[in-house]
Amino acid sequence: MRGLRATGHSFRVPLDHDDPASPLIDVFAREYSSLEHSDEDVARLPWLLFLQGGPGGRGVRTTQLSGWMKAAAREFRILMLDQRGTGLSTPADAATLAAFPTPEAQAEYLTHFRADSIVADAELIRHRLGSGPWTVFGQSYGGFCTLTYLSNAPQGVERALLTGGLAPLAGRPDEVYRATFARVEDRNREYFAWYPEDRDLVTRIARHLEAVEETLPSGERLTVRRFQMVGSFLGGNTRVHGLHYLLEDAFTTTPDGPRLSATFLEQVQGIVSRATQPLYALMHESIYCQGFASDWAARRVLDEYPQFRDDAAEILFTGEMVYPWYFEEDPALRPLRAVADVLAAKADWGPLYDVDVLATNTVPAAAAVYRHDIYVDRELSRATAAAVRRLEVWETDEFHHDGIADDGEAIFERLLGMTRA
């Protein structure tokens, strides 16, 4: 396809890598390489493993090499992993979880879908491919997984690249949300300074949703708090301006008065639905938990930031926070409400990082820290960077969380060069 070859690989791996009797699940990965290399040359190239953001995000599907993949394919075979539970790997969703008799059994199954299991899958796959230590590139949650990789299996990593993905090594998710609520508020302020006409429009949409029942194409009512979720646009460099285009045709005139347009509602549904990524909602807070329960951290911290409430005088957009009401208002998540509560109450989560191993790390590593990232806080990222030996940081205000979508080629080449310096 247009300058690239794509090859699918499927692997059988244990659900629980620590249990010899564990049932097996499938993990899929797609290999991408450049047609500038012959088949024989590709076989000699070193591997680069890409770990996608999420949790619950499948590997990138591409039909041409561009951005960071164009740069990487010059000297690597790229392995794009569908992390367990996603894409063509054995799925973890409402349909498959229904096979378990209780929410507790479902939750026990999902405990094997965190970064430690993803890393164990990657190591098994590396050996089956006959690869030596490989380059690992983690974006966002993929960066969290990369830190777990450096903790649990550093012998499998030749170099590590991280973008917007330096997770806090300790502490509760409350600290994360206090930082990100503040950054999301700043980003709202920045957005409305660019588009002051949208300030009144957003509040008008919210008041309209309180007074008039508007339904998404899938049939459920669009509430104010669900409308606030379109703030996911705020995490982007250029994507943020797409929010203005979404809002500009929100209303249409009907014989019964102003209503939200079909165009607007169709686009909003694609943004606020978790139908394609239920693991994100189920597992998001658990990625910060080591030995304690999340107890719906974002919901609790929201009480400290009443400006984000859906009844605030001037509505603000929210970020990546997950709330219990997601499992009431999103039809794709309703069957998962009980297991979500079990996961939120779970207090015996195992460790994800080994701070002693990271403090003596010998693997060359480089991380891009985005100064105004609304999802992965700059100060928390810098604290993590200081705790990992041989990790070099490039801090920049040129990009937001989706920097590699904006100028991935330059970012990748810079980080790769840092690990070789």
Side-chain angles (χ1 to χ4, degrees), residues 15-16 103-112 339 342-343 346:
L15 173 68
D16 182 352
E104 290 72 21
Q106 295 173 342
E108 173 59 29
Y109 179 74
L110 289 172
T111 61
H112 302 294
V339 65
V342 174
L343 290 168
K346 180 179 171 61

Side-chain angles (χ1 to χ4, degrees), residues 85-348:
T86 73
L88 294 180
S89 298
T90 298
D93 54 25
T96 58
L97 291 173
F100 294 89
T102 65
E104 290 72 21
Q106 295 173 342
E108 173 59 29
Y109 179 74
L110 289 172
T111 61
H112 302 294
F113 286 76
R114 294 207 305 164
D116 50 349
S117 296
I118 293 168
V119 167
D121 291 342
E123 269 297 272
L124 184 150
I125 290 169
R126 182 178 69 84
H127 286 294
R128 290 190 184 169
L129 291 173
S131 173
W134 53 12
T135 295
V136 178
F137 180 17
Q139 155 67 12
S140 188
Y141 175 65
F144 291 28
C145 295
T146 303
L147 289 171
T148 301
Y149 214 142
L150 292 175
S151 296
N152 295 356
Q155 71 281 0
V157 185
E158 181 176 9
R159 65 177 58 83
L161 315 176
L162 304 88
T163 50
L166 285 178
L169 301 179
R172 295 176 179 269
D174 304 52
E175 181 182 6
V176 173
Y177 291 123
R178 289 190 181 97
T180 53
F181 267 118
R183 291 206 181 275
V184 173
E185 184 175 11
D186 289 343
R187 189 64 161 162
N188 271 271
R189 191 177 297 115
E190 185 176 28
Y191 174 82
F192 288 121
W194 291 330
Y195 301 104
E197 67 272 29
D198 287 357
R199 177 60 279 171
D200 288 341
L201 175 58
V202 168
T203 301
R204 181 188 170 201
I205 293 171
R207 300 292 88 88
H208 173 83
L209 289 171
E210 291 172 346
V212 178
E213 183 170 331
E214 296 279 8
T215 57
L216 295 171
S218 53
E220 73 268 24
R221 183 171 184 173
L222 176 62
T223 60
V224 177
R225 57 191 181 183
R226 206 156 176 218
F227 165 60
Q228 289 175 276
M229 292 171 63
V230 303
S232 59
F233 278 93
L234 300 178
N237 253 47
T238 54
R239 185 170 180 265
V240 63
H241 300 286
L243 179 55
H244 176 68
Y245 294 144
L246 171 71
L247 296 171
E248 68 180 0
D249 58 0
F251 282 101
T252 188
T253 301
T254 77
D256 298 324
R259 297 296 300 265
L260 295 181
S261 71
T263 299
F264 175 77
L265 291 169
E266 179 68 37
Q267 294 177 85
V268 168
Q269 177 174 287
I271 297 165
V272 305
S273 173
R274 296 294 181 197
T276 62
Q277 203 176 352
L279 274 179
Y280 180 90
L282 283 169
M283 303 299 292
H284 187 264
E285 291 197 347
S286 79
I287 69 176
Y288 300 108
C289 294
Q290 302 178 87
F292 49 80
S294 71
D295 192 25
W296 295 113
R299 178 194 62 187
R300 291 184 289 99
V301 175
L302 176 63
D303 292 339
E304 302 171 25
Y305 294 86
Q307 60 270 40
F308 282 96
R309 289 177 54 89
D310 57 353
D311 58 358
E314 291 193 326
I315 294 297
L316 295 179
F317 295 114
T318 54
E320 65 172 4
M321 301 77 169
V322 174
Y323 305 101
W325 58 260
Y326 277 21
F327 297 85
E328 301 165 4
E329 297 190 11
D330 188 336
L333 297 180
R334 283 174 191 151
L336 301 172
R337 175 58 196 265
V339 65
D341 282 334
V342 174
L343 290 168
K346 180 179 171 61
D348 59 347

